Amino acid sequence: MGAATLVAPSSAFGQRRADLVLRGANVFDGTGREVREIDVAVTGDRITAVGNTLPAGSSEIDLRGFALAPGFIDIHSHADLSLLVNNKAESRIRQGITLEVVGQDGGSIGPWSDAGFEDTRNRYRSSYGIEIDFRDPTGFLDRIDRERPAVNVATMVGNGALRGLTVGNSDRPATDAEMSKMKALLAEQITGGCIGLSSGLEYTPSGLADEAELVQLATVLRGTGYPYASHMRNEDDRLLGAVEEALHVGRLADVPVQISHLKAQGQRNYWKADAALKLIEQARADGVDVHFDRYPYTAYATGLSNLFPSAYRTGGNQAFLRRLRDPESANRLEKACRDKVALLGDWNSVQISSTGASTAWARGGLLGDLARTRGVEAYALTLELLEANGGSVGMIGHGMSEENTAKILAHPLGMLCSDGGSYAPYGPLSGGSPHPRGYGSFPRLLGHYVRDSRALTLETAIHKVTQMPARKLRLQDRGIIEPGAFADLVAFDPATIADQATFDNPHQYPIGVPLVIVNGVVTLREGEHTGDLGGRGVRGSGY
């Protein structure tokens, strides 16, 4: 296919020879337009020319037969501090991810109190030998600039972090003075480059904020274009009310909305996926700038404590464990837990993903099978695991439908996320049995949902992981292949790209991604990590 040659302005790059020319790839530029077989030139950290038969570069890579796209943007990532533990970001860069949007579910990296900072610093120093030398999200971005991991990082600010610092874990409304402090802290972080406000309303302390508090806080974003991103208050029996709340916050605050990992949990709620999509479509038609994201799996990941109502988890893990032991509340908690498991299916719908060392035998196991093997009742084992680990146990819940997953991923207002962390099959990030989405989300979209089941076209899928999230976050020079854009690029083979990670064996890299470039730095070449790292903190423009 023919294409005119487009070159970045000479005032920016002069007439110097390109550092790198990528030859003959089938280029998906991120806009959703049809593929073009063209060359792409890179100089420094920018794309400098796009077109046919570009002049020779200092270095060249033949990509004939491969697809070339902008680097993938994970709009809902939990990589965060793991990027300091292993800055090669193995499970991320090998998917083609070049930008992580962290600070999700109300739980950003600060701002911390003195006690919160000391606790985090001591944990990372003793567990990983990592020194934490920042106290808030903008400080984390500065550390990313110094660390230069394999991937770029942008961050939101979590309402849970703000509430934890000002109100604590108390289940009460914020006072006027506390509200003013939270708004001032949020404004300071937005001015420093953060790109939105997140909430995690199934967790504490984020979920202790009522709708009015969320609206007040979200008004700080007004005029910036940055979104209020919400892990909603409920994703099963009360899903539709939770969607309405997220939309209402956006309407009243007059800010964009990003609904995090949209789903309908439990077979009795599968029908609600269509109803939720209709609510979102109507809000969009009424003028709300609303989108959503979703990972390409039918299981979610959370804490085992989330089998219990959030009202009983206020005050932290020790308060929650006391309620589990208290005869006054124990029966109510057991009934609620059993109802939640029945919603998912049975005890084997719950898979243990992470524990402390003393209960490492449970990692990766299905709760029903583990209970039978140990000769105990499943609820009793749940309590045993929570007690042994101070309330902190990771779980995977198998509870969504494949049909709804494909429908949500293909919807015009939907984007892809991993909702996962950064891992590697070696070293300190190889422990536990994490959700495979941390290794396979983006290849799974392009392999399973595009190539195999044809739920959406390749052009549409690429748009959903590149320009679409970039525009939502107002990052105009990422997520697109055009002169002047940052040289975040991924080459892949549409015929073979696939996830390899499974729920039973999650620590496996995907296949079909031979080349990833981050800010002009070739970090993955011929499928192997080069060790050259080009990531940086990505900041918004503030007010």
Side-chain angles (χ1 to χ4, degrees), residues 30-33 73 75 99 224-227 256 258 284 289 291 415 463-480 482:
T31 64
R33 290 192 294 254
I73 298 172
I75 198 167
L99 173 58
T224 66
Y226 298 131
Q258 182 76 14
R284 182 80 181 185
D289 179 3
H291 294 85
M415 306 176 205
H463 177 61
K464 285 173 173 285
V465 299
T466 56
Q467 189 189 57
M468 191 175 180
R471 284 185 169 177
K472 186 70 178 185
L473 301 171
R474 303 184 68 80
L475 302 174
Q476 301 302 323
D477 45 10
R478 296 190 190 271
I480 191 168
E482 66 179 13

PDB file of all heavy atoms in Angstrom, residues 30-33 73 75 99 224-227 256 258 284 289 291 415 463-480 482:
ATOM      1  N   GLY A  30      -2.648   3.337  15.524  1.00  0.00           N
ATOM      2  CA  GLY A  30      -3.326   3.624  16.777  1.00  0.00           C
ATOM      3  C   GLY A  30      -4.659   4.318  16.605  1.00  0.00           C
ATOM      4  O   GLY A  30      -5.477   4.338  17.529  1.00  0.00           O
ATOM      5  N   THR A  31      -4.927   4.883  15.434  1.00  0.00           N
ATOM      6  CA  THR A  31      -6.159   5.650  15.214  1.00  0.00           C
ATOM      7  C   THR A  31      -7.350   4.771  14.884  1.00  0.00           C
ATOM      8  O   THR A  31      -8.485   5.235  14.918  1.00  0.00           O
ATOM      9  CB  THR A  31      -5.978   6.639  14.057  1.00  0.00           C
ATOM     10  OG1 THR A  31      -5.757   5.903  12.836  1.00  0.00           O
ATOM     11  CG2 THR A  31      -4.803   7.570  14.309  1.00  0.00           C
ATOM     12  N   GLY A  32      -7.107   3.507  14.542  1.00  0.00           N
ATOM     13  CA  GLY A  32      -8.170   2.645  14.063  1.00  0.00           C
ATOM     14  C   GLY A  32      -8.245   2.583  12.553  1.00  0.00           C
ATOM     15  O   GLY A  32      -9.048   1.815  11.992  1.00  0.00           O
ATOM     16  N   ARG A  33      -7.404   3.396  11.877  1.00  0.00           N
ATOM     17  CA  ARG A  33      -7.372   3.349  10.417  1.00  0.00           C
ATOM     18  C   ARG A  33      -6.786   2.032   9.929  1.00  0.00           C
ATOM     19  O   ARG A  33      -6.118   1.313  10.674  1.00  0.00           O
ATOM     20  CB  ARG A  33      -6.533   4.508   9.866  1.00  0.00           C
ATOM     21  CG  ARG A  33      -7.168   5.868  10.029  1.00  0.00           C
ATOM     22  CD  ARG A  33      -6.429   6.901   9.200  1.00  0.00           C
ATOM     23  NE  ARG A  33      -5.074   7.116   9.684  1.00  0.00           N
ATOM     24  CZ  ARG A  33      -4.688   8.188  10.349  1.00  0.00           C
ATOM     25  NH1 ARG A  33      -5.563   9.140  10.650  1.00  0.00           N
ATOM     26  NH2 ARG A  33      -3.428   8.327  10.730  1.00  0.00           N
ATOM     27  N   ILE A  73      -0.784   0.820  26.192  1.00  0.00           N
ATOM     28  CA  ILE A  73      -1.021   1.588  27.412  1.00  0.00           C
ATOM     29  C   ILE A  73      -1.956   0.782  28.310  1.00  0.00           C
ATOM     30  O   ILE A  73      -3.078   0.462  27.908  1.00  0.00           O
ATOM     31  CB  ILE A  73      -1.631   2.964  27.090  1.00  0.00           C
ATOM     32  CG1 ILE A  73      -0.660   3.786  26.232  1.00  0.00           C
ATOM     33  CG2 ILE A  73      -1.997   3.709  28.382  1.00  0.00           C
ATOM     34  CD1 ILE A  73      -1.254   5.084  25.701  1.00  0.00           C
ATOM     35  N   ILE A  75      -4.250   1.089  31.091  1.00  0.00           N
ATOM     36  CA  ILE A  75      -4.924   2.190  31.769  1.00  0.00           C
ATOM     37  C   ILE A  75      -5.286   1.870  33.212  1.00  0.00           C
ATOM     38  O   ILE A  75      -5.669   2.758  33.972  1.00  0.00           O
ATOM     39  CB  ILE A  75      -6.168   2.636  30.965  1.00  0.00           C
ATOM     40  CG1 ILE A  75      -6.625   4.035  31.410  1.00  0.00           C
ATOM     41  CG2 ILE A  75      -7.283   1.589  31.064  1.00  0.00           C
ATOM     42  CD1 ILE A  75      -7.618   4.685  30.481  1.00  0.00           C
ATOM     43  N   LEU A  99       3.482   1.826  28.780  1.00  0.00           N
ATOM     44  CA  LEU A  99       3.045   2.824  29.748  1.00  0.00           C
ATOM     45  C   LEU A  99       2.084   2.200  30.749  1.00  0.00           C
ATOM     46  O   LEU A  99       1.042   1.655  30.363  1.00  0.00           O
ATOM     47  CB  LEU A  99       2.356   4.000  29.049  1.00  0.00           C
ATOM     48  CG  LEU A  99       1.699   5.058  29.952  1.00  0.00           C
ATOM     49  CD1 LEU A  99       2.714   5.667  30.921  1.00  0.00           C
ATOM     50  CD2 LEU A  99       1.040   6.154  29.117  1.00  0.00           C
ATOM     51  N   THR A 224      -9.404  20.155  34.130  1.00  0.00           N
ATOM     52  CA  THR A 224      -8.154  19.513  33.719  1.00  0.00           C
ATOM     53  C   THR A 224      -8.374  18.495  32.594  1.00  0.00           C
ATOM     54  O   THR A 224      -7.438  18.180  31.855  1.00  0.00           O
ATOM     55  CB  THR A 224      -7.495  18.766  34.893  1.00  0.00           C
ATOM     56  OG1 THR A 224      -8.338  17.665  35.286  1.00  0.00           O
ATOM     57  CG2 THR A 224      -7.289  19.695  36.088  1.00  0.00           C
ATOM     58  N   GLY A 225      -9.593  17.943  32.517  1.00  0.00           N
ATOM     59  CA  GLY A 225      -9.862  16.863  31.565  1.00  0.00           C
ATOM     60  C   GLY A 225      -9.485  15.499  32.082  1.00  0.00           C
ATOM     61  O   GLY A 225      -9.721  14.492  31.403  1.00  0.00           O
ATOM     62  N   TYR A 226      -8.904  15.413  33.284  1.00  0.00           N
ATOM     63  CA  TYR A 226      -8.499  14.120  33.832  1.00  0.00           C
ATOM     64  C   TYR A 226      -9.704  13.420  34.468  1.00  0.00           C
ATOM     65  O   TYR A 226     -10.598  14.061  35.014  1.00  0.00           O
ATOM     66  CB  TYR A 226      -7.379  14.295  34.848  1.00  0.00           C
ATOM     67  CG  TYR A 226      -6.133  14.891  34.237  1.00  0.00           C
ATOM     68  CD1 TYR A 226      -5.496  15.969  34.838  1.00  0.00           C
ATOM     69  CD2 TYR A 226      -5.629  14.393  33.037  1.00  0.00           C
ATOM     70  CE1 TYR A 226      -4.364  16.535  34.265  1.00  0.00           C
ATOM     71  CE2 TYR A 226      -4.509  14.962  32.461  1.00  0.00           C
ATOM     72  CZ  TYR A 226      -3.887  16.036  33.073  1.00  0.00           C
ATOM     73  OH  TYR A 226      -2.787  16.587  32.489  1.00  0.00           O
ATOM     74  N   PRO A 227      -9.726  12.087  34.427  1.00  0.00           N
ATOM     75  CA  PRO A 227     -10.924  11.363  34.849  1.00  0.00           C
ATOM     76  C   PRO A 227     -10.959  10.999  36.326  1.00  0.00           C
ATOM     77  O   PRO A 227      -9.932  10.885  37.003  1.00  0.00           O
ATOM     78  CB  PRO A 227     -10.852  10.089  33.999  1.00  0.00           C
ATOM     79  CG  PRO A 227      -9.384   9.841  33.838  1.00  0.00           C
ATOM     80  CD  PRO A 227      -8.751  11.210  33.734  1.00  0.00           C
ATOM     81  N   PRO A 256     -14.708  13.830  33.567  1.00  0.00           N
ATOM     82  CA  PRO A 256     -14.810  12.535  32.882  1.00  0.00           C
ATOM     83  C   PRO A 256     -14.821  11.377  33.875  1.00  0.00           C
ATOM     84  O   PRO A 256     -14.332  11.498  35.007  1.00  0.00           O
ATOM     85  CB  PRO A 256     -13.552  12.501  32.006  1.00  0.00           C
ATOM     86  CG  PRO A 256     -13.145  13.927  31.851  1.00  0.00           C
ATOM     87  CD  PRO A 256     -13.524  14.583  33.147  1.00  0.00           C
ATOM     88  N   GLN A 258     -14.064   7.086  34.295  1.00  0.00           N
ATOM     89  CA  GLN A 258     -13.499   5.834  33.810  1.00  0.00           C
ATOM     90  C   GLN A 258     -13.925   4.746  34.787  1.00  0.00           C
ATOM     91  O   GLN A 258     -13.497   4.748  35.950  1.00  0.00           O
ATOM     92  CB  GLN A 258     -11.969   5.898  33.725  1.00  0.00           C
ATOM     93  CG  GLN A 258     -11.302   4.652  33.184  1.00  0.00           C
ATOM     94  CD  GLN A 258     -11.440   4.516  31.669  1.00  0.00           C
ATOM     95  OE1 GLN A 258     -11.812   5.455  30.966  1.00  0.00           O
ATOM     96  NE2 GLN A 258     -11.138   3.334  31.161  1.00  0.00           N
ATOM     97  N   ARG A 284     -23.411   8.591  28.229  1.00  0.00           N
ATOM     98  CA  ARG A 284     -22.562   9.163  27.166  1.00  0.00           C
ATOM     99  C   ARG A 284     -23.400  10.043  26.240  1.00  0.00           C
ATOM    100  O   ARG A 284     -22.990  11.150  25.880  1.00  0.00           O
ATOM    101  CB  ARG A 284     -21.899   8.026  26.392  1.00  0.00           C
ATOM    102  CG  ARG A 284     -20.960   8.476  25.290  1.00  0.00           C
ATOM    103  CD  ARG A 284     -19.605   8.870  25.832  1.00  0.00           C
ATOM    104  NE  ARG A 284     -18.720   9.329  24.777  1.00  0.00           N
ATOM    105  CZ  ARG A 284     -17.461   9.644  24.945  1.00  0.00           C
ATOM    106  NH1 ARG A 284     -16.914   9.550  26.135  1.00  0.00           N
ATOM    107  NH2 ARG A 284     -16.732  10.079  23.940  1.00  0.00           N
ATOM    108  N   ASP A 289     -18.619  12.259  29.754  1.00  0.00           N
ATOM    109  CA  ASP A 289     -17.438  11.699  29.075  1.00  0.00           C
ATOM    110  C   ASP A 289     -17.040  10.422  29.815  1.00  0.00           C
ATOM    111  O   ASP A 289     -16.151  10.422  30.667  1.00  0.00           O
ATOM    112  CB  ASP A 289     -16.302  12.719  29.089  1.00  0.00           C
ATOM    113  CG  ASP A 289     -15.030  12.209  28.414  1.00  0.00           C
ATOM    114  OD1 ASP A 289     -15.041  11.069  27.881  1.00  0.00           O
ATOM    115  OD2 ASP A 289     -14.020  12.931  28.439  1.00  0.00           O
ATOM    116  N   HIS A 291     -16.007   6.240  29.871  1.00  0.00           N
ATOM    117  CA  HIS A 291     -15.467   5.017  29.270  1.00  0.00           C
ATOM    118  C   HIS A 291     -15.304   3.990  30.382  1.00  0.00           C
ATOM    119  O   HIS A 291     -15.527   4.284  31.553  1.00  0.00           O
ATOM    120  CB  HIS A 291     -14.113   5.264  28.599  1.00  0.00           C
ATOM    121  CG  HIS A 291     -14.180   6.170  27.402  1.00  0.00           C
ATOM    122  ND1 HIS A 291     -14.140   7.539  27.520  1.00  0.00           N
ATOM    123  CD2 HIS A 291     -14.272   5.899  26.065  1.00  0.00           C
ATOM    124  CE1 HIS A 291     -14.214   8.083  26.312  1.00  0.00           C
ATOM    125  NE2 HIS A 291     -14.293   7.113  25.420  1.00  0.00           N
ATOM    126  N   MET A 415     -11.990  -0.113  26.903  1.00  0.00           N
ATOM    127  CA  MET A 415     -10.556  -0.241  26.695  1.00  0.00           C
ATOM    128  C   MET A 415     -10.077  -1.508  27.394  1.00  0.00           C
ATOM    129  O   MET A 415     -10.818  -2.114  28.164  1.00  0.00           O
ATOM    130  CB  MET A 415      -9.809   0.964  27.256  1.00  0.00           C
ATOM    131  CG  MET A 415     -10.294   2.297  26.743  1.00  0.00           C
ATOM    132  SD  MET A 415      -9.420   3.668  27.545  1.00  0.00           S
ATOM    133  CE  MET A 415     -10.640   4.978  27.349  1.00  0.00           C
ATOM    134  N   HIS A 463      -6.430   0.282  18.587  1.00  0.00           N
ATOM    135  CA  HIS A 463      -6.911   1.601  19.005  1.00  0.00           C
ATOM    136  C   HIS A 463      -7.266   1.603  20.494  1.00  0.00           C
ATOM    137  O   HIS A 463      -6.961   2.570  21.220  1.00  0.00           O
ATOM    138  CB  HIS A 463      -8.135   1.977  18.167  1.00  0.00           C
ATOM    139  CG  HIS A 463      -8.758   3.278  18.553  1.00  0.00           C
ATOM    140  ND1 HIS A 463      -8.087   4.479  18.490  1.00  0.00           N
ATOM    141  CD2 HIS A 463     -10.012   3.577  19.021  1.00  0.00           C
ATOM    142  CE1 HIS A 463      -8.888   5.460  18.891  1.00  0.00           C
ATOM    143  NE2 HIS A 463     -10.065   4.929  19.222  1.00  0.00           N
ATOM    144  N   LYS A 464      -7.877   0.529  20.980  1.00  0.00           N
ATOM    145  CA  LYS A 464      -8.317   0.436  22.367  1.00  0.00           C
ATOM    146  C   LYS A 464      -7.156   0.394  23.365  1.00  0.00           C
ATOM    147  O   LYS A 464      -7.357   0.663  24.558  1.00  0.00           O
ATOM    148  CB  LYS A 464      -9.191  -0.810  22.559  1.00  0.00           C
ATOM    149  CG  LYS A 464     -10.603  -0.697  22.003  1.00  0.00           C
ATOM    150  CD  LYS A 464     -11.305  -2.032  22.092  1.00  0.00           C
ATOM    151  CE  LYS A 464     -12.773  -1.933  21.698  1.00  0.00           C
ATOM    152  NZ  LYS A 464     -13.576  -1.298  22.746  1.00  0.00           N
ATOM    153  N   VAL A 465      -5.967   0.028  22.906  1.00  0.00           N
ATOM    154  CA  VAL A 465      -4.823  -0.071  23.819  1.00  0.00           C
ATOM    155  C   VAL A 465      -3.761   0.986  23.535  1.00  0.00           C
ATOM    156  O   VAL A 465      -2.687   0.950  24.125  1.00  0.00           O
ATOM    157  CB  VAL A 465      -4.199  -1.488  23.776  1.00  0.00           C
ATOM    158  CG1 VAL A 465      -5.216  -2.529  24.204  1.00  0.00           C
ATOM    159  CG2 VAL A 465      -3.641  -1.833  22.400  1.00  0.00           C
ATOM    160  N   THR A 466      -4.084   1.939  22.652  1.00  0.00           N
ATOM    161  CA  THR A 466      -3.088   2.955  22.286  1.00  0.00           C
ATOM    162  C   THR A 466      -3.688   4.358  22.313  1.00  0.00           C
ATOM    163  O   THR A 466      -3.746   5.001  23.351  1.00  0.00           O
ATOM    164  CB  THR A 466      -2.468   2.643  20.911  1.00  0.00           C
ATOM    165  OG1 THR A 466      -3.496   2.526  19.914  1.00  0.00           O
ATOM    166  CG2 THR A 466      -1.686   1.333  20.959  1.00  0.00           C
ATOM    167  N   GLN A 467      -4.200   4.827  21.181  1.00  0.00           N
ATOM    168  CA  GLN A 467      -4.675   6.207  21.132  1.00  0.00           C
ATOM    169  C   GLN A 467      -5.873   6.454  22.049  1.00  0.00           C
ATOM    170  O   GLN A 467      -6.003   7.521  22.651  1.00  0.00           O
ATOM    171  CB  GLN A 467      -5.048   6.601  19.699  1.00  0.00           C
ATOM    172  CG  GLN A 467      -5.351   8.088  19.561  1.00  0.00           C
ATOM    173  CD  GLN A 467      -5.922   8.437  18.202  1.00  0.00           C
ATOM    174  OE1 GLN A 467      -6.930   7.903  17.767  1.00  0.00           O
ATOM    175  NE2 GLN A 467      -5.250   9.362  17.518  1.00  0.00           N
ATOM    176  N   MET A 468      -6.752   5.471  22.177  1.00  0.00           N
ATOM    177  CA  MET A 468      -7.964   5.668  22.977  1.00  0.00           C
ATOM    178  C   MET A 468      -7.633   5.964  24.442  1.00  0.00           C
ATOM    179  O   MET A 468      -8.107   6.979  24.993  1.00  0.00           O
ATOM    180  CB  MET A 468      -8.875   4.450  22.848  1.00  0.00           C
ATOM    181  CG  MET A 468     -10.259   4.631  23.400  1.00  0.00           C
ATOM    182  SD  MET A 468     -11.255   3.154  23.030  1.00  0.00           S
ATOM    183  CE  MET A 468     -12.813   3.611  23.767  1.00  0.00           C
ATOM    184  N   PRO A 469      -6.824   5.146  25.136  1.00  0.00           N
ATOM    185  CA  PRO A 469      -6.453   5.520  26.503  1.00  0.00           C
ATOM    186  C   PRO A 469      -5.601   6.773  26.571  1.00  0.00           C
ATOM    187  O   PRO A 469      -5.701   7.547  27.530  1.00  0.00           O
ATOM    188  CB  PRO A 469      -5.714   4.290  27.031  1.00  0.00           C
ATOM    189  CG  PRO A 469      -5.297   3.525  25.822  1.00  0.00           C
ATOM    190  CD  PRO A 469      -6.331   3.805  24.788  1.00  0.00           C
ATOM    191  N   ALA A 470      -4.740   6.995  25.570  1.00  0.00           N
ATOM    192  CA  ALA A 470      -3.913   8.209  25.577  1.00  0.00           C
ATOM    193  C   ALA A 470      -4.784   9.454  25.547  1.00  0.00           C
ATOM    194  O   ALA A 470      -4.538  10.436  26.263  1.00  0.00           O
ATOM    195  CB  ALA A 470      -2.943   8.196  24.397  1.00  0.00           C
ATOM    196  N   ARG A 471      -5.829   9.426  24.725  1.00  0.00           N
ATOM    197  CA  ARG A 471      -6.735  10.579  24.661  1.00  0.00           C
ATOM    198  C   ARG A 471      -7.526  10.733  25.954  1.00  0.00           C
ATOM    199  O   ARG A 471      -7.764  11.863  26.403  1.00  0.00           O
ATOM    200  CB  ARG A 471      -7.677  10.427  23.467  1.00  0.00           C
ATOM    201  CG  ARG A 471      -7.016  10.734  22.128  1.00  0.00           C
ATOM    202  CD  ARG A 471      -8.014  10.690  21.002  1.00  0.00           C
ATOM    203  NE  ARG A 471      -7.459  11.226  19.768  1.00  0.00           N
ATOM    204  CZ  ARG A 471      -8.110  11.248  18.603  1.00  0.00           C
ATOM    205  NH1 ARG A 471      -9.344  10.744  18.520  1.00  0.00           N
ATOM    206  NH2 ARG A 471      -7.547  11.755  17.534  1.00  0.00           N
ATOM    207  N   LYS A 472      -7.956   9.625  26.539  1.00  0.00           N
ATOM    208  CA  LYS A 472      -8.703   9.714  27.792  1.00  0.00           C
ATOM    209  C   LYS A 472      -7.874  10.391  28.868  1.00  0.00           C
ATOM    210  O   LYS A 472      -8.408  11.123  29.713  1.00  0.00           O
ATOM    211  CB  LYS A 472      -9.113   8.303  28.255  1.00  0.00           C
ATOM    212  CG  LYS A 472     -10.012   8.285  29.485  1.00  0.00           C
ATOM    213  CD  LYS A 472     -11.414   8.815  29.162  1.00  0.00           C
ATOM    214  CE  LYS A 472     -12.331   8.762  30.360  1.00  0.00           C
ATOM    215  NZ  LYS A 472     -13.707   9.157  30.023  1.00  0.00           N
ATOM    216  N   LEU A 473      -6.566  10.161  28.835  1.00  0.00           N
ATOM    217  CA  LEU A 473      -5.657  10.713  29.840  1.00  0.00           C
ATOM    218  C   LEU A 473      -4.989  11.997  29.371  1.00  0.00           C
ATOM    219  O   LEU A 473      -4.089  12.507  30.036  1.00  0.00           O
ATOM    220  CB  LEU A 473      -4.602   9.666  30.196  1.00  0.00           C
ATOM    221  CG  LEU A 473      -5.167   8.353  30.738  1.00  0.00           C
ATOM    222  CD1 LEU A 473      -4.075   7.307  30.864  1.00  0.00           C
ATOM    223  CD2 LEU A 473      -5.883   8.552  32.062  1.00  0.00           C
ATOM    224  N   ARG A 474      -5.397  12.488  28.196  1.00  0.00           N
ATOM    225  CA  ARG A 474      -4.890  13.742  27.630  1.00  0.00           C
ATOM    226  C   ARG A 474      -3.381  13.714  27.393  1.00  0.00           C
ATOM    227  O   ARG A 474      -2.672  14.710  27.600  1.00  0.00           O
ATOM    228  CB  ARG A 474      -5.285  14.931  28.521  1.00  0.00           C
ATOM    229  CG  ARG A 474      -6.802  15.025  28.736  1.00  0.00           C
ATOM    230  CD  ARG A 474      -7.198  16.238  29.538  1.00  0.00           C
ATOM    231  NE  ARG A 474      -6.969  17.473  28.792  1.00  0.00           N
ATOM    232  CZ  ARG A 474      -7.784  17.946  27.853  1.00  0.00           C
ATOM    233  NH1 ARG A 474      -8.866  17.272  27.501  1.00  0.00           N
ATOM    234  NH2 ARG A 474      -7.520  19.085  27.249  1.00  0.00           N
ATOM    235  N   LEU A 475      -2.899  12.569  26.930  1.00  0.00           N
ATOM    236  CA  LEU A 475      -1.488  12.401  26.573  1.00  0.00           C
ATOM    237  C   LEU A 475      -1.395  12.425  25.052  1.00  0.00           C
ATOM    238  O   LEU A 475      -1.477  11.401  24.386  1.00  0.00           O
ATOM    239  CB  LEU A 475      -0.949  11.092  27.152  1.00  0.00           C
ATOM    240  CG  LEU A 475      -1.055  10.943  28.675  1.00  0.00           C
ATOM    241  CD1 LEU A 475      -0.618   9.551  29.118  1.00  0.00           C
ATOM    242  CD2 LEU A 475      -0.235  12.022  29.395  1.00  0.00           C
ATOM    243  N   GLN A 476      -1.243  13.612  24.498  1.00  0.00           N
ATOM    244  CA  GLN A 476      -1.393  13.798  23.058  1.00  0.00           C
ATOM    245  C   GLN A 476      -0.250  13.205  22.243  1.00  0.00           C
ATOM    246  O   GLN A 476      -0.415  12.925  21.064  1.00  0.00           O
ATOM    247  CB  GLN A 476      -1.527  15.295  22.738  1.00  0.00           C
ATOM    248  CG  GLN A 476      -2.706  15.958  23.424  1.00  0.00           C
ATOM    249  CD  GLN A 476      -4.048  15.323  23.080  1.00  0.00           C
ATOM    250  OE1 GLN A 476      -4.270  14.903  21.951  1.00  0.00           O
ATOM    251  NE2 GLN A 476      -4.927  15.218  24.069  1.00  0.00           N
ATOM    252  N   ASP A 477       0.923  13.036  22.831  1.00  0.00           N
ATOM    253  CA  ASP A 477       2.077  12.587  22.056  1.00  0.00           C
ATOM    254  C   ASP A 477       2.445  11.133  22.343  1.00  0.00           C
ATOM    255  O   ASP A 477       3.554  10.695  22.088  1.00  0.00           O
ATOM    256  CB  ASP A 477       3.290  13.486  22.299  1.00  0.00           C
ATOM    257  CG  ASP A 477       3.511  13.798  23.777  1.00  0.00           C
ATOM    258  OD1 ASP A 477       2.830  13.162  24.619  1.00  0.00           O
ATOM    259  OD2 ASP A 477       4.341  14.655  24.086  1.00  0.00           O
ATOM    260  N   ARG A 478       1.488  10.375  22.876  1.00  0.00           N
ATOM    261  CA  ARG A 478       1.681   8.930  23.034  1.00  0.00           C
ATOM    262  C   ARG A 478       0.458   8.209  22.486  1.00  0.00           C
ATOM    263  O   ARG A 478      -0.593   8.800  22.270  1.00  0.00           O
ATOM    264  CB  ARG A 478       1.931   8.563  24.502  1.00  0.00           C
ATOM    265  CG  ARG A 478       3.227   9.149  25.049  1.00  0.00           C
ATOM    266  CD  ARG A 478       3.597   8.598  26.411  1.00  0.00           C
ATOM    267  NE  ARG A 478       4.702   9.354  26.979  1.00  0.00           N
ATOM    268  CZ  ARG A 478       5.993   9.069  26.783  1.00  0.00           C
ATOM    269  NH1 ARG A 478       6.347   8.038  26.039  1.00  0.00           N
ATOM    270  NH2 ARG A 478       6.941   9.809  27.341  1.00  0.00           N
ATOM    271  N   GLY A 479       0.634   6.914  22.218  1.00  0.00           N
ATOM    272  CA  GLY A 479      -0.477   6.127  21.716  1.00  0.00           C
ATOM    273  C   GLY A 479      -0.734   6.267  20.239  1.00  0.00           C
ATOM    274  O   GLY A 479      -1.797   5.862  19.752  1.00  0.00           O
ATOM    275  N   ILE A 480       0.214   6.805  19.481  1.00  0.00           N
ATOM    276  CA  ILE A 480       0.030   7.004  18.050  1.00  0.00           C
ATOM    277  C   ILE A 480       1.378   6.934  17.343  1.00  0.00           C
ATOM    278  O   ILE A 480       2.413   7.287  17.920  1.00  0.00           O
ATOM    279  CB  ILE A 480      -0.667   8.354  17.769  1.00  0.00           C
ATOM    280  CG1 ILE A 480      -1.106   8.444  16.306  1.00  0.00           C
ATOM    281  CG2 ILE A 480       0.208   9.527  18.189  1.00  0.00           C
ATOM    282  CD1 ILE A 480      -2.045   9.596  16.018  1.00  0.00           C
ATOM    283  N   GLU A 482       3.134   8.687  14.569  1.00  0.00           N
ATOM    284  CA  GLU A 482       3.185   9.846  13.688  1.00  0.00           C
ATOM    285  C   GLU A 482       4.432  10.644  14.044  1.00  0.00           C
ATOM    286  O   GLU A 482       4.945  10.540  15.170  1.00  0.00           O
ATOM    287  CB  GLU A 482       1.937  10.712  13.833  1.00  0.00           C
ATOM    288  CG  GLU A 482       1.790  11.383  15.178  1.00  0.00           C
ATOM    289  CD  GLU A 482       0.544  12.267  15.271  1.00  0.00           C
ATOM    290  OE1 GLU A 482      -0.325  12.154  14.370  1.00  0.00           O
ATOM    291  OE2 GLU A 482       0.448  13.054  16.233  1.00  0.00           O
TER     292      GLU A 482
END
